Amino acid sequence: DDTVRLSDMAKQMGVKAQDLIKTLFGLGVMATINQSLDFDTASVLAAEFGYEAENVAFDEQEYLLPPEEDSPDSLKPRAPVVTIMGHVDHGKTSLLDAIRKTNVTGGEAGGITQHIGAYHVKTGRGEIVFLDTPGHEAFTTMRKRGAQVTDIVILVVAADDGVMDQTREAVSHAKAAQVPIVVAVNKIDKEGSNPDRVMRELSDLGLVPEAWGGETIFANVSAKQHTGLDELLEMVLLQAEVLQLQANPDKPGRGHVVEAKLDKGRGPVGTVLISEGTIRQSDSFVCGMVHGKIRAMFTDQGQKIQEAGPSTPVEIQGFDTIAEAGDEFVVVADDKVAKRIASIRLGKHRDKELAGKAKVTLESFLASR
Ligand code: GTP
Ligand code: MG
């Protein structure tokens, strides 16, 4: 970014912002105190006051730790991140609840399950992280913001209802994101349920069951009666094996915000799903336009932890304000760097907003004539 805000420039030069605005006006440039000036304009303006402008563009990339190439042996297996999608009332929430209930590690210290927007489940064959945001909107919003955090989609289809509008929508979202789908045919306990029909209808959408020579994994479940859940989780882990999910845990941590809110007692908190590296207590970080220092972090079981590696969802305290879901969370060298990057991003954001407003004003001005 090699622009400078007029007010900052005035400060640096020790002159009044009004004088800069007047001088610019004399040069035929209309400007306001919050205006960002490009380097050429700033140079001419500086010259008018006997200064020479130097382009010391601040590039946040210089301050962010460079994204290292991970050597093959630095990569370790990581747990799959799963999002549950499907049509209204087909049983997404029930399925999540059933999986959670049957897999909560009993007797663990502080075993009160917290709602942190993501949680992980231990099975005999491995761990799975569930994103507790079953909604196409959340999925799409995150993706639009460049945060592809889901490895596998569990598509829930009620066996008594079959493929519906939002089932099709979910399929197209998952396909667009190139995320593999595992189908959970739910409510098989219900009278009139017809899993075969679901298979046929999904085959028409290109999800052909393995049993029929296709590549899509299907599992029959009942969230209500807790049947077929182990098989479903096993299928998910099987699919995960195919994906060979890996990450390097031995570097500064990065991840994405899954959920963020203001907690009355604890201030701004956010659930971050770590994608690579390891985050530690007292790490400084930036997260979109927000910065902070990890004051404390907790698992979905409410346990306080000191560090968290790839595919771990953690609730973090220490954000300066509320972050946004989908924002990338990046550990940086220290507080100063974190603040600097956050303020640069905020500045850019404001410039864009101002530019947007100026345009609207001009347009409405023209329209009014
Ligand atoms: P939305 O969040 O509104 O989209 O719904 P959902 O997909 O989360 O469905 P939810 O889990 O709320 O279940 C909808 C209804 O179906 C509830 O009344 C559940 O009790 C019922 N239900 C869910 N799973 C089963 C099941 O396996 N068998 C039967 N018989 N009923 C189920
Ligand atoms: Mg629900």
Side-chain angles (χ1 to χ4, degrees):
D1 181 23
D2 47 24
T3 62
V4 60
R5 195 184 294 270
L6 189 141
S7 55
D8 290 341
M9 192 169 163
K11 243 181 257 158
Q12 284 166 20
M13 290 167 58
V15 301
K16 283 194 195 119
Q18 277 312 318
D19 290 339
L20 291 190
I21 292 173
K22 253 187 247 161
T23 307
L24 277 174
F25 187 76
L27 295 166
V29 180
M30 298 285 279
T32 63
I33 189 157
N34 281 319
Q35 189 109 13
S36 284
L37 305 172
D38 60 30
F39 181 63
D40 287 343
T41 308
S43 307
V44 173
L45 184 57
E48 290 285 313
F49 288 82
Y51 283 94
E52 195 183 324
E54 197 184 338
N55 192 354
V56 284
F58 175 89
D59 184 7
E60 65 174 55
Q61 294 306 326
E62 281 172 31
Y63 286 77
L64 287 168
L65 301 165
E68 294 164 42
E69 223 14 89
D70 296 313
S71 66
D73 56 318
S74 71
L75 296 173
K76 303 286 180 303
R78 64 169 181 85
V81 178
V82 174
T83 300
I84 299 190
M85 295 168 92
H87 193 71
V88 181
D89 275 356
H90 278 198
K92 300 176 291 291
T93 304
S94 304
L95 187 61
L96 270 165
D97 286 350
I99 289 170
R100 175 136 66 175
K101 264 185 212 125
T102 47
N103 287 277
V104 174
T105 31
E108 254 179 54
I112 300 160
T113 312
Q114 306 232 108
H115 178 84
I116 68 167
Y119 60 94
H120 81 271
V121 157
K122 282 180 194 159
T123 78
R125 288 187 47 175
E127 297 188 3
I128 304 174
V129 178
F130 283 91
L131 285 190
D132 201 0
T133 49
H136 307 178
E137 226 171 285
F139 185 83
T140 318
T141 311
M142 297 268 276
R143 216 164 69 77
K144 260 192 215 140
R145 312 198 58 222
Q148 174 113 339
V149 292
T150 303
D151 299 309
I152 295 169
V153 163
I154 292 184
L155 179 67
V156 180
V157 187
D160 61 334
D161 207 18
V163 169
M164 303 298 279
D165 281 352
Q166 282 175 275
T167 317
R168 289 188 200 93
E169 224 179 271
V171 171
S172 69
H173 284 316
K175 278 189 177 167
Q178 295 186 308
V179 175
I181 296 171
V182 171
V183 179
V185 181
N186 190 30
K187 308 198 187 183
I188 52 159
D189 61 285
K190 258 184 134 172
E191 203 152 329
S193 80
N194 188 347
D196 265 7
R197 182 182 127 205
V198 176
M199 283 177 154
R200 266 199 314 278
E201 289 173 342
L202 284 178
S203 293
D204 290 343
L205 297 179
L207 299 177
V208 183
E210 284 188 316
W212 296 358
E215 291 185 341
T216 307
I217 302 175
F218 280 65
N220 289 341
V221 301
S222 163
K224 192 179 179 184
Q225 301 190 335
H226 291 202
T227 49
L229 300 183
D230 288 346
E231 289 82 353
L232 174 66
L233 297 185
E234 201 158 302
M235 293 305 167
V236 167
L237 286 167
L238 208 67
Q239 179 64 61
E241 259 170 46
V242 175
L243 297 175
Q244 292 195 305
L245 303 166
Q246 294 181 315
N248 175 3
D250 299 315
K251 59 181 187 181
R254 277 172 184 266
H256 287 96
V257 176
V258 171
E259 201 176 83
K261 63 186 178 201
L262 187 65
D263 185 284
K264 264 189 199 152
R266 302 175 303 158
V269 296
T271 298
V272 174
L273 179 61
I274 307 305
S275 56
E276 54 177 352
T278 298
I279 64 167
R280 297 192 169 80
Q281 168 114 18
S282 300
D283 276 352
S284 300
F285 63 83
V286 274
C287 188
M289 293 179 277
V290 177
H291 68 94
K293 193 183 182 86
I294 301 177
R295 255 204 333 264
M297 49 183 166
F298 300 87
T299 66
D300 56 323
Q301 301 287 313
Q303 284 173 300
K304 195 164 189 236
I305 49 171
Q306 298 297 315
E307 56 175 53
S311 288
T312 314
V314 278
E315 191 183 64
I316 294 175
Q317 293 177 21
F319 290 83
D320 75 322
T321 56
I322 308 170
E324 247 181 88
D327 274 347
E328 194 181 14
F329 178 100
V330 183
V331 168
V332 295
D334 55 43
D335 279 355
K336 243 170 115 182
V337 168
K339 261 184 210 158
R340 186 87 202 262
I341 295 174
S343 81
I344 288 286
R345 288 177 178 175
L346 189 65
K348 277 187 194 170
H349 176 76
R350 282 195 184 136
D351 285 350
K352 249 190 229 160
E353 271 193 341
L354 278 177
K357 266 188 203 138
K359 200 166 147 235
V360 168
T361 315
L362 181 64
E363 272 162 10
S364 41
F365 171 71
L366 290 173
S368 72
R369 276 155 57 95

